[in-house]
Amino acid sequence: MTDEKKIIVTRTIEAPAQDVFNVLTNPAEHVKLDGSGFIRSVDHGDRIQKVGQVFTMNMVGEHMGGEYQTDNHVTGYADDKLVAWQTAPAGTEPKGWEWMYELEAHGPKETAVTLTYDWSKVTDKELLKKVHFPLVEKHALEESLAKLEERATSN
Protein backbone atom coordinates (compact mmCIF):
# COMPACT_ATOMS: atom_id res chain seq x y z
CA MET A 1 0.00 0.00 0.00
CA THR A 2 1.16 3.52 -0.79
CA ASP A 3 -0.64 6.67 0.18
CA GLU A 4 0.38 10.29 0.12
CA LYS A 5 2.67 10.16 3.18
CA LYS A 6 3.26 6.50 3.95
CA ILE A 7 4.42 3.32 2.24
CA ILE A 8 3.46 -0.08 3.66
CA VAL A 9 4.79 -3.44 2.45
CA THR A 10 4.19 -6.93 3.83
CA ARG A 11 5.97 -10.24 3.38
CA THR A 12 5.48 -13.64 4.96
CA ILE A 13 8.78 -15.05 6.15
CA GLU A 14 9.30 -18.75 6.87
CA ALA A 15 10.88 -18.21 10.26
CA PRO A 16 9.59 -17.90 13.82
CA ALA A 17 8.70 -14.36 14.95
CA GLN A 18 11.45 -14.55 17.59
CA ASP A 19 14.12 -15.15 14.92
CA VAL A 20 12.85 -12.25 12.78
CA PHE A 21 12.67 -9.97 15.83
CA ASN A 22 16.23 -10.89 16.86
CA VAL A 23 17.52 -9.68 13.49
CA LEU A 24 15.48 -6.46 13.55
CA THR A 25 16.50 -5.48 17.08
CA ASN A 26 20.22 -5.73 16.34
CA PRO A 27 21.34 -2.40 14.78
CA ALA A 28 24.49 -4.11 13.43
CA GLU A 29 22.20 -6.16 11.13
CA HIS A 30 20.57 -3.10 9.57
CA VAL A 31 23.27 -2.57 6.95
CA LYS A 32 22.53 -6.11 5.71
CA LEU A 33 18.79 -5.35 5.57
CA ASP A 34 18.97 -1.98 3.82
CA GLY A 35 17.26 -2.01 0.44
CA SER A 36 17.93 1.71 -0.12
CA GLY A 37 21.73 1.55 -0.12
CA PHE A 38 21.99 4.48 2.32
CA ILE A 39 23.22 2.59 5.42
CA ARG A 40 26.98 2.04 5.61
CA SER A 41 27.46 0.78 9.18
CA VAL A 42 26.34 1.09 12.77
CA ASP A 43 28.23 3.81 14.65
CA HIS A 44 26.88 2.75 18.02
CA GLY A 45 23.85 0.89 19.20
CA ASP A 46 23.08 -1.89 21.61
CA ARG A 47 20.36 -4.43 20.92
CA ILE A 48 17.02 -2.63 20.94
CA GLN A 49 15.17 -3.52 24.14
CA LYS A 50 12.87 -0.60 24.93
CA VAL A 51 11.30 2.63 23.79
CA GLY A 52 13.63 5.59 24.30
CA GLN A 53 16.86 3.91 23.17
CA VAL A 54 18.89 5.64 20.47
CA PHE A 55 21.18 4.00 17.94
CA THR A 56 23.38 5.85 15.45
CA MET A 57 24.03 4.79 11.87
CA ASN A 58 26.67 5.88 9.36
CA MET A 59 24.92 6.76 6.11
CA VAL A 60 25.60 8.04 2.61
CA GLY A 61 23.33 9.77 0.12
CA GLU A 62 23.27 12.63 -2.33
CA HIS A 63 20.18 14.03 -0.58
CA MET A 64 22.52 14.91 2.34
CA GLY A 65 25.56 15.78 0.23
CA GLY A 66 27.43 12.50 0.82
CA GLU A 67 28.29 10.90 4.15
CA TYR A 68 26.27 11.67 7.27
CA GLN A 69 24.97 10.08 10.49
CA THR A 70 21.48 9.49 11.81
CA ASP A 71 20.24 9.04 15.36
CA ASN A 72 17.36 6.60 15.48
CA HIS A 73 15.04 7.10 18.45
CA VAL A 74 13.10 3.93 19.35
CA THR A 75 9.38 4.80 19.47
CA GLY A 76 7.80 1.35 19.54
CA TYR A 77 8.79 -1.95 21.10
CA ALA A 78 6.92 -5.17 21.93
CA ASP A 79 8.74 -8.52 22.18
CA ASP A 80 8.47 -10.49 18.94
CA LYS A 81 5.73 -8.13 17.65
CA LEU A 82 6.91 -4.55 17.07
CA VAL A 83 9.97 -2.37 16.70
CA ALA A 84 9.84 1.22 15.43
CA TRP A 85 12.06 4.29 15.40
CA GLN A 86 12.10 7.87 14.24
CA THR A 87 15.17 9.03 12.36
CA ALA A 88 16.95 12.36 12.77
CA PRO A 89 20.25 13.85 11.64
CA ALA A 90 22.79 12.97 14.38
CA GLY A 91 22.60 15.29 17.37
CA THR A 92 19.08 16.52 16.58
CA GLU A 93 15.58 15.54 17.60
CA PRO A 94 13.43 13.46 15.22
CA LYS A 95 11.78 15.44 12.44
CA GLY A 96 8.71 13.24 12.03
CA TRP A 97 9.51 10.26 9.84
CA GLU A 98 9.28 6.77 11.25
CA TRP A 99 10.15 3.19 10.37
CA MET A 100 7.95 0.48 11.88
CA TYR A 101 8.17 -3.30 11.66
CA GLU A 102 5.10 -5.21 12.86
CA LEU A 103 5.34 -8.99 13.23
CA GLU A 104 2.42 -11.41 13.32
CA ALA A 105 3.20 -15.06 14.02
CA HIS A 106 1.39 -17.47 11.72
CA GLY A 107 2.16 -20.64 13.60
CA PRO A 108 5.54 -21.60 15.02
CA LYS A 109 7.58 -21.24 11.81
CA GLU A 110 6.00 -18.43 9.81
CA THR A 111 5.77 -14.67 10.41
CA ALA A 112 3.99 -11.94 8.48
CA VAL A 113 6.15 -8.80 8.61
CA THR A 114 4.71 -5.40 7.76
CA LEU A 115 7.18 -2.58 7.18
CA THR A 116 5.79 0.95 7.29
CA TYR A 117 7.73 4.04 6.21
CA ASP A 118 5.70 7.00 7.43
CA TRP A 119 6.59 10.66 6.92
CA SER A 120 3.12 12.06 7.67
CA LYS A 121 4.35 13.91 10.78
CA VAL A 122 7.10 15.87 9.01
CA THR A 123 6.15 19.54 9.35
CA ASP A 124 9.53 21.32 9.11
CA LYS A 125 9.15 23.45 5.98
CA GLU A 126 12.92 23.82 5.47
CA LEU A 127 13.37 20.06 5.68
CA LEU A 128 10.52 19.50 3.24
CA LYS A 129 12.27 21.84 0.78
CA LYS A 130 15.55 19.92 1.13
CA VAL A 131 14.30 16.32 1.32
CA HIS A 132 11.74 15.14 -1.19
CA PHE A 133 9.67 12.40 0.42
CA PRO A 134 9.51 9.54 -0.06
CA LEU A 135 13.26 9.33 0.17
CA VAL A 136 13.02 5.53 -0.01
CA GLU A 137 10.77 3.99 -2.64
CA LYS A 138 8.43 1.02 -2.27
CA HIS A 139 10.73 -1.37 -4.18
CA ALA A 140 13.54 -0.63 -1.69
CA LEU A 141 11.26 -1.51 1.24
CA GLU A 142 10.30 -4.75 -0.50
CA GLU A 143 14.02 -5.46 -0.98
CA SER A 144 14.58 -4.84 2.75
CA LEU A 145 11.96 -7.47 3.62
CA ALA A 146 13.58 -9.93 1.19
CA LYS A 147 16.94 -9.34 2.90
CA LEU A 148 15.29 -9.73 6.30
CA GLU A 149 13.98 -13.11 5.21
CA GLU A 150 17.50 -14.16 4.15
CA ARG A 151 18.95 -13.10 7.53
CA ALA A 152 16.15 -14.61 9.64
CA THR A 153 16.22 -17.97 7.86
CA SER A 154 20.03 -18.30 7.80
CA ASN A 155 20.43 -18.31 11.61
Side-chain angles (χ1 to χ4, degrees):
M1 175 185 143
T2 304
D3 74 19
E4 199 172 306
K5 298 193 176 200
K6 167 185 310 189
I7 300 172
I8 301 170
V9 296
T10 300
R11 182 182 188 105
T12 298
I13 294 175
E14 292 188 30
Q18 181 180 18
D19 292 357
V20 176
F21 194 74
N22 283 339
V23 173
L24 289 172
T25 56
N26 182 355
E29 290 282 351
H30 290 198
V31 69
K32 298 169 193 150
L33 305 179
D34 179 28
S36 72
F38 294 147
I39 300 174
R40 291 295 175 234
S41 62
V42 64
D43 184 73
H44 77 270
D46 296 327
R47 179 170 297 280
I48 299 167
Q49 297 180 327
K50 63 183 179 180
V51 170
Q53 281 182 259
V54 177
F55 60 96
T56 302
M57 304 301 286
N58 297 312
M59 313 285 286
V60 66
E62 292 308 312
H63 61 283
M64 293 293 284
E67 293 185 11
Y68 63 102
Q69 287 187 321
T70 59
D71 286 341
N72 300 283
H73 301 252
V74 179
T75 55
Y77 181 90
D79 279 333
D80 301 337
K81 295 181 192 277
L82 170 74
V83 64
W85 57 87
Q86 287 191 4
T87 300
T92 69
E93 289 301 309
K95 306 294 185 205
W97 67 92
E98 185 172 46
W99 300 93
M100 179 170 45
Y101 288 86
E102 298 170 280
L103 285 62
E104 182 181 341
H106 289 183
K109 296 183 180 181
E110 196 172 82
T111 306
V113 181
T114 300
L115 169 55
T116 302
Y117 169 42
D118 181 351
W119 62 97
S120 63
K121 297 176 188 146
V122 177
T123 59
D124 183 320
K125 292 185 184 344
E126 290 303 312
L127 176 65
L128 289 168
K129 286 179 188 175
K130 183 176 181 178
V131 178
H132 300 284
F133 289 96
L135 196 55
V136 179
E137 300 291 335
K138 182 178 181 180
H139 67 87
L141 274 65
E142 291 168 340
E143 178 67 19
S144 290
L145 289 183
K147 291 178 176 202
L148 174 59
E149 181 170 30
E150 288 174 23
R151 299 299 303 156
T153 58
S154 69
N155 295 333

